[in-house]
Amino acid sequence: MYDLIIIGGGAAGVFSAIAFKEKKPRSKVLILEKSSSLLTKLSLTGGGRCNLTNACFEPRKLVLNYPRGSKELLGPLYSFSPRETINWFESKGVALKVEDNGKVFPVSDKSQTIINCFLTEIKKLEIEIFFDFVLKDILKNNNFFEIDHNGRKIFTKNLILATGNNLQGYDLAKQFGHTIQKPIPSLFTFNSKTSYLKDLSGVTHNPVEVKIKDTAFSQSGSILITHFGFSGPVILSLSSFAAKYLNEKNYEAKISINWLSGISQDEIFKRLFELKNNCPNNFLYLSNIFNLPRNLWGALLDSASQNLRKKMNDISKSDLINLTKKLTGDVFAIDEKGVNKNEFVTCGGVTLSEVNFKTMQSKICSNLYFAGEILDVDGITGGYNLQNAWTTAFIAANSI
């Protein structure tokens, strides 16, 4: 009889096993993993560098980065926040650093550093692992679970499902009475076949504001122009918050980009008109008074009007008005979602109202717990999804 069995050898599953065994070193803990190795997905996160959390230490601010689960995570993040995450890894000898936007990485810039830390703890704590686990059946008998592992019966008092976005994990949750919110992609790029900027692939600009037309979805940040459309933090964040809406629209929508976020239309037009009056013989495309990337500035001018390549004295007031509108509301058609290679996040999963977030225990099946991405919780890029894994795993383990 095991004290705890965890199904899933990813970030949430491994961390919950370690957190539990640290509190109860004499307990019997087992991880069941369907593949031949642990933490495969973790090795790929953050471009292989492992963005393991974000240095935002105020839970009320932190939860604003979760399109789904922000309300439910608030309490748990007071118990195990990014500060506790950083302290935990540093206590194990992992040197960490904080980069732009608060992203936290190992100093080594290698996910393997984090994986090695976990493997060392697993060995030290004598946590058992069954690899290549093929689940045939799980039964709940009174106060324990009976699991059929390749024809062998194993028993546990407590069970944590930490299967990520694996469909079998959702099926298990449904077996115990839970409902599943439809899993759909989150954190993706935007493809725009008709974008006039595709030749500028690799150009970045910050800050911009991007809105989905005819909706309330809007995000500000850095944008990356690509050969297929748009990427960068602002696009990934927008895709996350609008994931369900875009899925319903089959990823066809129109976006509006304000290239000069933070500057009003009146101020933009005023600067342009002052340039016309004060420097009539200057060429607008050489002036670049808003310090945009030069090739982007040129493309924006050409898209607004061919007259904008002339001297300021030959540019009409109406041309400057049209340019102002272009700079603050450049519209592009999005025709499909792209792939963000460094992220593997979905929204959807176990319905949050069916889980007690003070304990991470099921409200439907006693002694059944959840941790990580199996829940209908997801964050934007920046270390928030792994923080969800650490927090919910810690809460589940300590509750048990």
Side-chain angles (χ1 to χ4, degrees):
M1 175 73 74
Y2 287 92
D3 296 286
L4 173 62
I5 288 180
I6 300 111
I7 299 181
V14 168
F15 194 66
S16 62
I18 293 171
F20 181 80
K21 199 71 189 285
E22 283 183 329
K23 291 284 186 179
K24 298 189 69 175
R26 294 186 179 182
S27 62
K28 291 186 64 179
V29 178
L30 170 66
I31 298 173
L32 301 177
E33 168 54 39
K34 64 182 177 64
S35 70
S36 58
S37 61
L38 298 175
L39 303 162
T40 303
K41 186 173 169 182
L42 187 67
S43 69
L44 304 173
T45 60
R49 298 170 60 215
C50 193
N51 179 193
L52 58 89
T53 189
N54 193 286
C56 176
F57 302 124
E58 172 49 56
R60 291 190 180 279
K61 292 182 180 179
L62 188 65
V63 295
L64 298 178
N65 297 286
Y66 293 89
R68 284 148 294 273
S70 58
K71 176 183 175 182
E72 290 79 6
L73 275 181
L74 181 59
L77 283 168
Y78 275 103
S79 295
F80 198 87
S81 73
R83 191 178 303 282
E84 281 72 41
T85 297
I86 292 169
N87 290 343
W88 190 90
F89 281 103
E90 289 183 338
S91 74
K92 307 302 180 187
V94 178
L96 303 176
K97 60 180 179 177
V98 180
E99 295 191 349
D100 293 344
N101 300 319
K103 295 179 180 180
V104 179
F105 293 91
V107 169
S108 67
D109 281 330
K110 295 180 180 178
S111 297
Q112 194 61 45
T113 299
I114 304 301
I115 293 172
N116 289 344
C117 170
F118 282 140
L119 295 180
T120 298
E121 293 303 307
I122 286 171
K123 183 176 181 181
K124 182 174 74 176
L125 295 169
E126 298 181 333
I127 295 169
E128 295 182 57
I129 308 166
F130 290 172
F131 290 108
D132 302 311
F133 169 67
V134 178
L135 179 65
K136 292 187 176 180
D137 196 19
I138 296 183
L139 298 175
K140 178 75 184 295
N141 292 320
N142 297 320
N143 294 323
F144 62 89
F145 296 88
E146 177 184 316
I147 301 174
D148 188 333
H149 169 60
N150 299 334
R152 171 189 171 189
K153 303 290 185 182
I154 50 178
F155 303 90
T156 182
K157 299 173 184 176
N158 301 285
L159 181 67
I160 294 179
L161 294 184
T163 50
N165 56 18
N166 182 274
L167 295 180
Q168 189 179 50
Y170 297 143
D171 288 340
L172 282 174
K174 286 192 285 187
Q175 177 183 326
F176 291 111
H178 284 273
T179 54
I180 304 298
Q181 300 301 309
K182 178 185 175 183
I184 58 174
S186 182
L187 292 180
F188 49 85
T189 58
F190 291 171
N191 289 6
S192 177
K193 295 176 183 176
T194 56
S195 170
Y196 66 90
L197 296 175
K198 288 190 286 188
D199 289 341
L200 303 185
S201 180
V203 171
T204 63
H205 182 53
N206 183 44
V208 303
E209 181 183 20
V210 184
K211 299 179 179 179
I212 298 178
K213 295 281 284 182
D214 303 319
T215 76
F217 295 112
S218 174
Q219 289 289 299
S220 296
S222 177
I223 196 168
L224 168 66
I225 299 170
T226 70
H227 66 279
F228 52 78
F230 302 98
S231 185
V234 68
I235 298 297
L236 296 177
S237 295
L238 186 59
S239 76
S240 184
F241 279 96
K244 293 187 177 181
Y245 172 83
L246 291 170
N247 180 261
E248 291 170 0
K249 296 294 183 180
N250 199 29
Y251 304 101
E252 294 180 357
K254 288 185 177 181
I255 61 170
S256 173
I257 301 176
N258 182 346
W259 297 103
L260 299 176
S261 177
I263 307 177
S264 70
Q265 279 196 349
D266 288 345
E267 177 64 22
I268 292 168
F269 179 76
K270 177 183 176 183
R271 293 188 196 180
L272 290 170
F273 203 69
E274 285 178 349
L275 183 66
K276 175 179 170 65
N277 290 334
N278 298 334
C279 306
N281 292 316
N282 284 15
F283 288 96
L284 180 58
Y285 73 92
L286 293 177
S287 299
N288 195 8
I289 58 175
F290 300 109
N291 296 316
L292 288 160
R294 184 160 294 279
N295 47 1
L296 173 60
W297 175 241
L300 290 168
L301 295 181
D302 291 342
S303 177
S305 171
Q306 288 300 315
N307 293 332
L308 296 173
R309 287 283 181 173
K310 298 178 180 179
K311 289 184 178 179
M312 291 302 304
N313 196 45
D314 298 321
I315 297 174
S316 68
K317 181 178 178 181
S318 63
D319 282 331
L320 295 182
I321 291 173
N322 289 335
L323 176 58
T324 300
K325 292 178 180 178
K326 165 70 69 172
L327 291 170
T328 56
D330 205 2
V331 177
F332 296 86
I334 303 304
D335 35 65
E336 61 183 4
K337 69 177 180 66
V339 177
N340 179 32
K341 296 179 181 179
N342 295 333
E343 298 288 348
F344 311 87
V345 177
T346 59
C347 70
V350 174
T351 301
L352 303 186
S353 61
E354 299 171 354
V355 179
N356 181 349
F357 272 73
K358 291 182 179 180
T359 62
M360 302 314 302
Q361 183 173 196
S362 164
K363 293 180 181 179
I364 298 169
C365 178
S366 61
N367 303 108
L368 173 67
Y369 297 79
F370 299 98
E373 200 182 344
I374 188 174
L375 295 158
D376 185 21
V377 175
D378 61 290
I380 63 174
T381 186
Y384 302 105
N385 286 295
L386 278 178
Q387 183 59 51
N388 169 51
W390 315 137
T391 296
T392 53
F394 180 86
I395 296 290
N398 277 265
S399 299
I400 298 169

